[in-house]
């Protein structure tokens, strides 16, 4: 167990060693047990977290805020429009000022080509830990909750487990790349065999894929890609069908210079792939004990059918969502 994580930033799981992540899981399981037993665990009494959201959130916002309350502290639920951020105040200044007033800064900024840079700038200037609540590249808290759920439903040593991360159709909004990117970086470090399926116009970022291959080699897992959703489902023990936008199809600078044209092209590409859905037919291709995971919110009837999502023998999405609370509390208790 690692005991010196005070003030360590949590911007990506990739910045944390395996030993450090194991410590987080140990703490998360302990906090989950205390929560179930209604045992007080006021480890952050009188401490303040500033939680800044540039986008909407249900799970992340409430896991951080409820988590801080349960740990005996308080989280300010902030949005960019409530702050001088909306008048252009620099992330550096925001980070310095909030560091003088509290004990942790958490932020979600998913704007493509901007979010991760914004968080890095805050982390460079903050004297308290900065946590990513999701950016355009990573969603580190989601990765922790996913892995905790896998440990619970399969094994604490899940080496060789076959996980399929598949793009799926959705018409709600262009979801960030950060969830699948976090999963392909993290899962192979724990020995999981990951298959990623996506239409050719919806790739993940090249640099992340390269890093994920390296993580797989070092961690004993594996990573492979296909453009065929059925093939990816064959024999899978976990399936994660989820939409993401076609951002990875473009160089970041090109995207930022031609944003409207890229968005139009992404929209027309999307319409070609209505058939990319996780339904009972595809579930039958997978292992007989397959489990469905999804970071949520799910686009019901597009990404996944109600029949699959609501099947208690298959779906573990609500355990996954609950584990956002326990893993968030572990990170906050260890770093703040
Ligand atoms: N999975 C997830 O991050 O959900 P929210 O967008 O509701 O926070």
């Amino acid at each position: 167990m690692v005991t010196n994580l005070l003030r360590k930033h949590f911007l990506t799981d990739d910045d944390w060693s395996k030993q450090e992540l194991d410590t987080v899981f140990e703490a998360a399981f302990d906090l989950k047990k205390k929560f179930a037993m209604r045992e007080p665990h006021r480890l952050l009494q009188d401490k303040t977290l500033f939680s800044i959201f540039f986008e909407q959130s249900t799970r992340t916002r409430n896991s951080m805020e409820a988590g801080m309350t349960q740990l005996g502290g308080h989280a300010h639920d902030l949005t960019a429009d409530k702050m001088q951020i909306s008048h252009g105040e620099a992330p550096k200044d925001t980070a310095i000022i909030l560091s003088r007033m509290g004990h942790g800064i958490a932020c979600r900024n998913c704007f493509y080509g901007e979010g991760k840079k914004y968080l890095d700038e805050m982390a460079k200037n903050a004297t308290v830990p900065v946590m990513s609540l999701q950016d355009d590249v990573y969603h580190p808290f989601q990765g922790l909750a996913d892995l905790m759920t896998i440990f619970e439903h399969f094994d604490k040593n899940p080496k060789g487990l076959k996980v399929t991360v598949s793009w799926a159709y959705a018409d709600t909004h262009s979801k960030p790349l950060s969830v699948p990117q976090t999963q392909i970086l993290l899962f192979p470090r724990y020995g999981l065999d990951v298959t990623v399926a996506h239409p050719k116009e919806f790739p993940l970022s090249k640099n992340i894929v390269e890093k994920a291959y390296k993580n797989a080699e070092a961690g004993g897992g594996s990573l492979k890609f296909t453009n065929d959703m059925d093939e990816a489902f064959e024999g899978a023990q976990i399936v994660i069908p989820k939409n993401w936008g076609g951002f990875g199809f473009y160089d970041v600078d090109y995207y930022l210079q031609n944003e409207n044209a890229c968005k139009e092209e992404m929209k027309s590409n999307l319409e070609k792939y209505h058939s990319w859905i996780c339904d009972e037919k595809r579930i039958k291709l997978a292992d007989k004990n397959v489990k469905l995971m999804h970071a949520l919110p799910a686009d019901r009837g597009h990404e996944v059918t109600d029949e699959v999502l609501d099947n208690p023998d298959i779906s573990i999405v609500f355990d996954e969502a609950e584990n956002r609370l326990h893993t968030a509390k572990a990170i906050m208790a260890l770093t703040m």
Side-chain angles (χ1 to χ4, degrees):
M1 183 165 215
V2 181
T3 54
N4 60 348
L5 295 169
L6 188 67
R7 285 193 279 278
K8 185 173 171 70
H9 297 311
F10 185 59
L11 300 172
T12 159
D13 303 303
D14 239 39
D15 289 342
W16 285 51
S17 70
K18 181 104 181 321
Q19 208 188 358
E20 288 170 337
L21 291 176
D22 288 343
T23 298
V24 175
F25 290 121
E26 215 172 305
F29 277 110
D30 181 49
L31 290 165
K32 185 166 185 173
K33 189 172 169 195
K34 287 186 163 69
F35 180 77
M37 303 290 283
R38 292 167 290 285
E39 190 182 316
H41 44 280
R42 299 171 67 82
L43 303 170
L44 295 178
Q45 194 157 357
D46 303 328
K47 299 216 165 149
T48 301
L49 174 77
F50 302 103
S51 208
I52 309 168
F53 286 87
F54 284 75
E55 287 94 5
Q56 298 81 352
S57 164
T58 296
R59 281 139 290 270
T60 308
R61 165 175 276 123
N62 291 297
S63 58
M64 300 304 283
E65 193 158 345
M68 274 305 286
T69 304
Q70 291 161 25
L71 290 167
H74 179 68
H76 293 200
D77 178 22
L78 300 163
T79 51
D81 65 300
K82 274 187 197 164
M83 301 175 72
Q84 294 294 7
I85 292 170
S86 58
H87 289 147
E89 184 156 34
K92 171 182 176 174
D93 298 342
T94 304
I96 293 171
I97 292 151
L98 296 181
S99 294
R100 300 270 189 112
M101 297 185 180
H103 308 89
I105 301 171
C107 180
R108 167 175 287 191
N109 182 339
C110 297
F111 292 113
Y112 191 62
E114 294 173 21
K116 172 77 170 84
K117 285 188 191 145
Y118 191 93
L119 275 145
D120 284 347
E121 188 60 18
M122 285 216 290
K124 213 166 83 188
N125 293 286
T127 52
V128 297
V130 173
M131 298 160 232
S132 171
L133 300 179
Q134 187 176 20
D135 55 50
D136 54 326
V137 185
Y138 304 113
H139 195 351
F141 279 109
Q142 187 62 52
L144 294 182
D146 291 348
L147 210 42
M148 183 176 183
T149 311
I150 291 171
F151 293 153
E152 287 176 330
H153 282 272
F154 291 87
D155 195 305
K156 283 212 173 144
N157 179 9
K159 188 165 165 48
L161 196 73
K162 290 185 174 55
V163 182
T164 289
V165 174
S166 178
W167 185 91
Y169 178 81
D171 65 359
T172 49
H173 64 293
S174 285
K175 301 186 187 189
L177 303 175
S178 48
V179 170
Q181 293 192 159
T182 294
Q183 291 165 339
I184 67 164
L185 285 165
L186 182 62
F187 293 172
R189 292 176 70 191
Y190 281 80
L192 274 64
D193 292 331
V194 179
T195 299
V196 182
H198 62 77
K200 62 184 187 320
E201 298 90 342
F202 293 86
L204 300 175
S205 298
K206 201 163 161 268
N207 63 325
I208 297 293
V209 172
E210 283 166 8
K211 181 69 176 45
Y213 275 121
K214 286 187 189 146
N215 285 3
E217 204 179 315
S222 69
L223 180 63
K224 64 179 182 197
F225 288 82
T226 172
N227 299 129
D228 184 332
M229 193 174 185
D230 285 346
E231 182 191 312
F233 267 57
E234 277 166 21
Q237 293 168 282
I238 297 174
V239 289
I240 311 179
K242 188 184 180 318
N243 179 260
W244 58 83
F247 305 104
F249 196 57
Y250 309 97
D251 171 76
V252 178
D253 292 334
Y254 177 85
Y255 178 89
L256 293 175
Q257 282 156 23
N258 302 278
E259 199 166 339
N260 289 338
C262 291
K263 280 183 177 163
E264 276 308 307
E265 193 176 31
M266 277 159 55
K267 222 164 125 185
S268 91
N269 285 334
L270 179 69
E271 293 314 315
K272 297 186 235 170
Y273 298 109
H274 281 257
S275 65
W276 282 60
I277 183 168
C278 176
D279 56 11
E280 290 208 311
K281 193 167 82 33
R282 285 207 164 97
I283 285 292
K284 285 200 173 81
L285 299 172
D287 183 82
K288 66 177 183 354
N289 297 316
V290 66
K291 298 293 177 208
L292 171 86
M293 292 180 67
H294 193 300
L296 303 180
D299 192 338
R300 285 172 176 263
H302 287 141
E303 291 178 312
V304 54
T305 60
D306 287 343
E307 273 172 319
V308 175
L309 191 65
D310 296 329
N311 183 333
D313 295 330
I314 297 174
S315 179
I316 54 173
V317 298
F318 298 116
D319 292 342
E320 185 183 357
E322 182 194 320
N323 284 336
R324 291 294 309 274
L325 173 71
H326 310 301
T327 45
K329 284 165 71 179
I331 289 286
M332 291 191 285
L334 288 162
T335 62
M336 284 175 61

